[in-house]
């Protein structure tokens, strides 16, 4: 069986090292937080100026002055720190974040990322912090479905959508499998309810298999 | 006497903003949005403005209200498109407002550079993307970088939690966001706060924005906007 979004979030969470400083992108990547055990000591960064972000706030805990990058009210954990935007992005761009997890429209076999703009003429372009995160974090994980709703692969030889950053992604976590991408192309690390042969038939990229 | 002026009314605080000015507006979504100063600017009447802010307005309040009033020629921001950015979306699609999209880290760093007297800086953010078009590039340590220039404002409108009479500021939680860098990057920095205290009442170790960056301060009553409440 392919993975549900929740199972995929749990799978990504398993690869987050203990004590890591991590930024989770807006949307699906936010769910990864639900699968990080507290004793792992992972510290979440939100680009609007906070380390030590806690879960979403509810009821009386909602504070308009305390939100995440998606403008959702959140909470602070003991040991949290606040800082201004230039510091927050210096943290990112200076290579201090261990991992960021981002969604994507497309990832190329060499780790190019397209996740900010479809290029459609009537779309309003909005980049946010995606370009800074993609070039800054030590490791960039992408979490996405492997195919679009109409069945087009999102892991591609080269991105057709406008790029967010070049050669920045190291791992791609999808509902059908986990892939390493980079200079040497695509390596299949794991498959979910499918085989490398079946994936090869549906993808336009050459798949290398890890030999154990 | 401090150079910073503590004013009695919002209208005095925003007096003198000229048509065609570049206005830096603090806030990330609604957190840290200087609602009262923006409402004051709408009353004051300056138009043909270039607004620099992270977003392009949420709901009908704050920046969205300034856009709706037709005072903005151009928005420079990182993330205009949101679930509740319908005022901007409509104006943009109708060709009534220009848009400059800047990656969020470049936005913050260009403001910081303006405030710190940095002539320009190289960054890998945006290299190899459509936002690199027309920019000078340079390979540093084997990686392509883009040359980015400072972003200065004529006026900054920001919201802080508390000020003393010298204009020293402290902020609250993630409402700090762009306030400290914008305060440094404008000719005239105007701040709304929930509280003005005497000199000596703020812990000097905890001051985030020193008063040297602050020109005008006005106390306003607290408003409590959440995303739902902005409509």
């Amino acid at each position: 069986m392919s993975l549900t979004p929740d199972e995929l979030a749990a799978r990504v969470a398993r690869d987050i090292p203990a004590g890591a400083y991590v930024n989770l992108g807006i949307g699906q990547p936010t769910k990864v937080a639900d699968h990080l055990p507290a004793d792992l000591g992972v510290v979440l960064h939100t680009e609007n100026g906070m380390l030590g972000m806690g879960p979403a706030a509810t009821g009386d805990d909602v504070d308009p002055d305390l939100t995440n990058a998606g403008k959702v009210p959140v909470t602070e954990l003991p040991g949290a720190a606040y800082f201004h935007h230039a510091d927050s992005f210096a943290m990112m761009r200076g290579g201090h974040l261990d991992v960021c997890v981002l969604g994507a429209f497309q990832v190329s076999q060499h780790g190019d990322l397209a996740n900010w703009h479809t290029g459609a003429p009537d779309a309003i372009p909005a980049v946010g912090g995606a370009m800074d995160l993609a070039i800054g974090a030590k490791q960039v994980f992408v979490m996405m479905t492997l195919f679009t709703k109409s069945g087009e692969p999102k892991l591609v030889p080269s991105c057709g959508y406008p790029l967010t950053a070049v050669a920045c992604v190291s791992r791609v976590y999808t509902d059908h499998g986990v892939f390493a991408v980079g200079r040497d192309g695509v390596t299949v690390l794991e498959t979910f309810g499918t085989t490398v042969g079946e994936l090869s038939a549906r993808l336009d990229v050459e798949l290398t298999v890890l030999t154990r | 006497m401090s150079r910073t002026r503590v004013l009695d009314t919002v209208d005095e605080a925003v007096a003198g903003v000229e048509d065609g000015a570049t206005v830096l507006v603090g806030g990330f979504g609604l957190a840290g949005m200087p609602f009262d100063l923006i409402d004051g600017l709408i009353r004051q009447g300056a138009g043909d403005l270039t607004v620099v802010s992270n977003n392009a307005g949420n709901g009908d309040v704050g920046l969205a209200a300034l856009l709706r009033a037709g005072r903005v020629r151009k928005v420079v921001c990182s993330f205009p498109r949101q679930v509740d950015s319908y005022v901007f979306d409509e104006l943009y699609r109708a060709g009534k407002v220009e848009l400059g999209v800047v990656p969020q880290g470049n936005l913050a760093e260009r403001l910081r550079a303006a405030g710190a007297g940095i002539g320009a800086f190289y960054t890998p953010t945006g290299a190899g993307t459509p936002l690199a078009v027309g920019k000078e590039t340079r390979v540093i340590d084997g990686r392509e970088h883009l040359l980015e220039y400072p972003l200065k404002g004529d006026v900054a409108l920001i919201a802080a939690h508390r000020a003393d009479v010298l204009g020293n500021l402290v902020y609250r939680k993630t409402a700090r966001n762009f306030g400290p860098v914008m305060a440094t990057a404008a000719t005239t920095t105007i701040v709304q706060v929930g509280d003005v205290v005497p000199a000596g009442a703020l812990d000097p170790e905890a001051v985030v924005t020193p008063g040297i960056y602050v020109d005008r301060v006005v106390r306003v009553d607290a408003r409590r906007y959440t995303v739902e409440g902005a409509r």
Side-chain angles (χ1 to χ4, degrees), chain B residues 59-72:
Chain B
D60 294 309
V61 295
L63 203 44
L66 186 67
L67 283 158
R68 178 78 87 197
R71 306 295 169 73
V72 181

Side-chain angles (χ1 to χ4, degrees), chain B residues 18 27 33 45 71 74 80 84 104 106 116 140 158 163 195 201 209 214 225:
Chain B
E18 293 181 4
M33 176 69 63
R71 306 295 169 73
K74 182 174 185 180
D84 56 354
Q104 206 170 129
N106 283 358
I140 300 172
I158 65 179
D195 198 10
T209 294
V214 175
Y225 279 125

Side-chain angles (χ1 to χ4, degrees), chain B:
Chain B
M1 269 299 275
S2 155
R3 197 181 65 192
T4 304
R5 290 191 299 149
V6 178
L7 299 160
D8 292 330
T9 67
V10 167
D11 290 330
E12 290 171 90
V14 299
V17 178
E18 293 181 4
D19 287 349
T22 295
V23 183
L24 314 179
V25 178
F28 184 89
L30 299 169
M33 176 69 63
F35 295 107
D36 298 81
L37 295 178
I38 294 170
D39 289 349
L41 186 59
I42 293 170
R43 289 192 299 273
Q44 189 264 354
D48 195 31
L49 302 172
T50 295
V51 166
V52 178
S53 195
N54 187 63
N55 302 108
N58 302 76
D60 294 309
V61 295
L63 203 44
L66 186 67
L67 283 158
R68 178 78 87 197
R71 306 295 169 73
V72 181
R73 180 176 63 79
K74 182 174 185 180
V75 175
V76 176
C77 73
S78 85
F79 208 82
R81 186 187 64 225
Q82 299 175 92
V83 289
D84 56 354
S85 61
Y86 45 85
V87 173
F88 172 82
D89 297 356
E90 189 186 311
L91 290 169
Y92 178 76
R93 291 189 200 286
K96 290 180 178 163
V97 64
E98 295 170 46
L99 171 64
V101 171
V102 179
Q104 206 170 129
N106 283 358
L107 191 65
E109 193 63 16
R110 289 175 61 194
L111 291 162
R112 200 192 72 79
I118 306 295
F121 60 92
Y122 281 102
T123 173
T125 300
T129 78
L131 298 188
V133 172
K135 292 194 168 147
E136 285 183 54
T137 62
R138 182 163 179 168
V139 176
I140 300 172
D141 273 345
R143 193 174 200 190
E144 184 166 272
H145 286 61
L146 304 182
L147 185 63
E148 293 286 349
Y149 288 93
L151 191 49
K152 274 186 191 158
D154 297 303
V155 178
L157 305 182
I158 65 179
H161 181 50
R162 183 172 288 141
D164 70 12
V165 292
L166 277 77
N168 293 307
L169 305 178
V170 292
Y171 299 82
R172 193 167 171 278
K173 302 181 187 285
T174 57
R176 180 182 306 193
N177 59 66
F178 280 92
V181 278
M182 287 184 171
T184 69
T187 308
T188 303
T189 292
I190 307 171
V191 187
Q192 67 170 68
V193 293
D195 198 10
V196 180
V197 298
L202 293 180
D203 176 0
E205 298 281 5
V207 168
V208 175
T209 294
I212 190 170
Y213 297 119
V214 175
D215 298 285
R216 306 177 193 171
V217 172
V218 62
R219 195 199 69 76
V220 301
D221 291 328
R223 289 200 212 184
R224 192 182 158 89
Y225 279 125
T226 54
V227 171
E228 296 76 30
R231 294 173 193 216

Side-chain angles (χ1 to χ4, degrees), chain A residues 122-145:
Chain A
D122 63 334
I124 298 176
V127 66
M131 288 188 181
D132 306 283
L133 272 169
I135 61 94
K138 287 179 195 154
Q139 286 200 83
V140 176
F141 292 171
V142 160
M143 181 178 166
M144 65 180 192
T145 56

